[in-house]
């Protein structure tokens, strides 16, 4: 089984990225041959600062390695180090109906926000399809918001196979329902575009402040709260604390007598401990960038072997060879 996923280097990674995508992906390394990459080509559709892209790409590499990605087991690389993927994007684009792309939520959301779209943003799902299909991937672990893009990938692969004969493996999205949507500090989906994130490796003081700013209602501490399970801090606490602790705080809130300030303090403490060893590992890695760059170079070399094989297969099928 080949498992593939990517993450854009578009800003600091947050708890939504961690629980929705990184941790499931890291756990899956045990179950098959995993290919994980930094989607720097994709980031070009919405980030236009080269220095920022360089910095973010390195940050994603450090974050992933610190959180437990094992480069002995997993092929870890930068998307742009496998330029074959852009060639496959063209081949796939020619069998992709415009309507399929016009229906994509993430594209429509960006239009609705008033972003003036470039061709890259429109073609984003085709590049993503190439990312997935070029490694004959079977399983794609992502958060729920990326599910449609994996479905588009399937549609494109099926179309190509129908047109040119069996060429691509049809992949399956894999979504962890229990963390499909991690809420942000305002209760919407945690997302860097909403400014409601809690970073994985945030600075201590700033993160404490951020957690203390999680939106609560105005009920007094004494009041029992029958809806304790829907409290944002409880939901986040359940992710970073032992199950027992999460349940205990939920019960105390439900019964009345637990103040929101104390609840958020507990959340901060558990959050800080949860990432303590990863934080230490990250400091070590950051002092050893030669190693990190070597991991990415080795990953790209391995990924390219597979990518070339699949692109050749597709070119042959389409009559380019
Ligand atoms: P953002 O919304 O902050 O821009 P991305 O779209 O770059 O995050 O998401 C990267 C990965 O993390 C994707 O697989 C996505 O599904 C997952 N993800 C992002 N935010 C969340 C969230 N709040 N809950 C669960 N998964 C998430
Ligand atoms: N679009 C994904 C995101 O924003 C990142 C991504 C690019 C990806 N290519 C991929 C994810 C291929 C899974 C598979 O999160």
């Amino acid at each position: 089984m080949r498992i593939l996923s990517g993450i854009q280097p578009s800003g600091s990674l947050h708890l939504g990225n961690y629980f929705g995508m990184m941790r499931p992906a890291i756990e899956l390394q045990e179950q098959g041959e995993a290919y994980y990459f930094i989607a720097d080509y994709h980031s070009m559709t919405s980030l236009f600062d080269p220095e920022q892209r360089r910095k973010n790409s390195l940050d994603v590499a450090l974050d992933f390695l610190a959180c437990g990605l094992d480069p002995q087991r997993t092929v870890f690389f930068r998307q742009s180090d496998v330029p074959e993927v852009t060639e496959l994007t063209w081949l796939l684009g020619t069998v992709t109906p415009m309507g399929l792309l016009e229906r994509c939520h993430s594209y429509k959301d960006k239009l609705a926000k008033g972003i003036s779209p470039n061709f890259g943003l429109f073609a984003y799902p085709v590049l993503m399809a190439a990312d997935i299909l070029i490694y004959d991937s079977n399983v794609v672990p992502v958060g729920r918001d990326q599910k449609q893009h994996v479905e588009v990938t399937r549609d494109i692969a099926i179309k190509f196979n129908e047109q040119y004969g069996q060429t691509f493996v049809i992949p399956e999205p894999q979504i962890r329902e229990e963390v499909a949507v991690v809420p942000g500090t305002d209760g919407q989906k945690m997302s860097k575009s909403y400014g409601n994130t809690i970073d994985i490796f945030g600075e201590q003081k700033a993160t404490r402040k951020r957690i203390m700013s999680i939106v609560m209602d105005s009920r007094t501490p004494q009041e029992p709260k029958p809806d304790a399970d829907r409290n944002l801090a409880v939901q986040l606490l359940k992710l970073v604390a032992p199950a027992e602790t999460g349940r205990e705080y939920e019960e105390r809130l439900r019964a009345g007598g637990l103040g929101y300030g104390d609840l958020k303090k507990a959340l901060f403490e558990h959050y800080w401990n949860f990432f303590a060893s990863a934080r230490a590992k990250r400091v070590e890695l950051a002092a050893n960038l030669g190693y990190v760059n070597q991991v990415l170079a080795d990953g790209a070399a391995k990924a390219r072997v597979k990518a070339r094989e699949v692109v050749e297969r597709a070119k042959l099928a389409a009559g380019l060879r």
Side-chain angles (χ1 to χ4, degrees):
M1 178 170 82
R2 189 163 297 113
I3 306 145
L4 173 129
S5 197
I7 191 154
Q8 284 196 62
S10 45
S12 304
L13 297 182
H14 52 73
L15 297 186
N17 300 140
Y18 180 77
F19 289 104
M21 184 269 186
M22 293 170 77
R23 191 169 70 173
I26 287 167
E27 285 171 9
L28 276 171
Q29 329 179 87
E30 317 286 327
Q31 287 177 34
E33 189 183 3
Y35 279 57
Y36 298 144
F37 66 94
I38 303 164
D40 54 354
Y41 278 145
H42 273 112
S43 75
M44 295 186 76
T45 60
S46 50
L47 176 72
F48 299 94
D49 178 340
E51 261 325 302
Q52 196 63 46
R53 190 172 353 271
R54 257 178 224 117
K55 177 180 182 307
N56 291 352
S57 297
L58 179 62
D59 278 341
V60 171
L62 293 171
D63 289 354
F64 242 119
L65 291 168
C67 285
L69 183 142
D70 176 1
Q72 299 298 330
R73 212 182 261 274
T74 292
V75 183
F76 185 42
F77 58 101
R78 244 191 319 250
Q79 185 183 30
S80 64
D81 284 340
V82 187
E84 288 79 3
V85 78
T86 60
E87 184 177 8
L88 187 61
T89 300
W90 177 256
L91 271 66
L92 298 177
T94 58
V95 297
T96 305
M98 294 286 284
L100 192 62
L101 301 180
E102 280 160 356
R103 280 196 294 279
C104 285
H105 304 305
S106 82
Y107 178 68
K108 288 198 290 191
D109 290 351
K110 291 198 168 116
L111 286 193
K113 269 197 231 144
I115 291 172
S116 129
N118 52 54
F119 168 73
L121 194 68
F122 186 65
Y124 185 113
V126 187
L127 176 58
M128 183 156 160
D131 288 331
I132 297 171
L133 301 176
I134 205 166
Y135 304 110
D136 285 336
S137 314
N138 307 102
V139 173
V140 185
V142 282
R144 189 186 285 155
D145 59 339
Q146 294 296 322
K147 184 170 181 225
Q148 189 186 31
H149 286 155
V150 183
E151 285 161 0
V152 166
T153 301
R154 291 167 58 91
D155 289 347
I156 294 174
I158 290 168
K159 271 225 162 248
F160 194 99
N161 286 351
E162 277 171 6
Q163 190 65 50
Y164 293 120
Q166 184 57 39
T167 306
F168 295 118
V169 172
I170 311 297
E172 296 282 345
Q174 191 177 89
I175 292 151
R176 290 280 191 92
E177 281 311 321
E178 70 282 12
V179 285
V181 183
V182 175
T185 53
D186 58 357
Q188 295 187 78
K189 172 195 124 106
M190 187 177 287
S191 170
K192 38 190 178 283
S193 28
Y194 302 149
N196 63 358
T197 54
I198 298 169
D199 290 349
I200 306 176
F201 297 113
E203 196 266 319
Q204 185 167 19
K205 235 174 143 177
T207 310
R208 183 185 287 119
K209 213 168 140 192
R210 195 107 184 134
I211 287 181
M212 296 313 286
S213 78
I214 294 175
V215 178
M216 299 277 127
D217 56 50
S218 57
R219 286 176 288 178
T220 64
Q222 283 68 35
E223 246 175 281
K225 309 203 172 45
D227 53 352
D229 57 324
R230 289 205 300 280
N231 180 281
L232 285 179
V234 167
Q235 286 180 37
L236 293 170
L237 185 67
K238 283 182 173 168
L239 294 173
V240 294
E244 240 172 65
T245 311
R247 272 198 303 273
E248 179 200 319
Y249 274 90
E250 182 183 333
E251 283 321 310
R252 285 176 60 193
L253 196 65
R254 194 186 307 280
L258 172 67
Y260 289 145
D262 288 337
L263 170 61
K264 290 189 217 173
K265 270 189 207 137
L267 170 59
F268 175 77
E269 295 304 327
H270 283 282
Y271 151 83
W272 196 255
N273 288 335
F274 185 87
F275 290 108
S277 66
R279 198 174 294 118
K281 176 103 188 278
R282 196 181 190 286
V283 171
E284 233 173 76
L285 289 162
N288 199 354
L289 294 183
Y291 165 77
V292 175
N293 287 323
Q294 193 57 49
V295 165
L296 293 175
D298 292 349
K302 277 191 212 146
R304 274 193 101 169
V305 172
K306 182 70 191 168
R308 287 205 183 102
E309 171 202 320
V310 176
V311 169
E312 279 311 308
R313 191 200 300 154
K315 286 170 84 167
L316 188 63
L320 294 165
R321 287 287 177 276

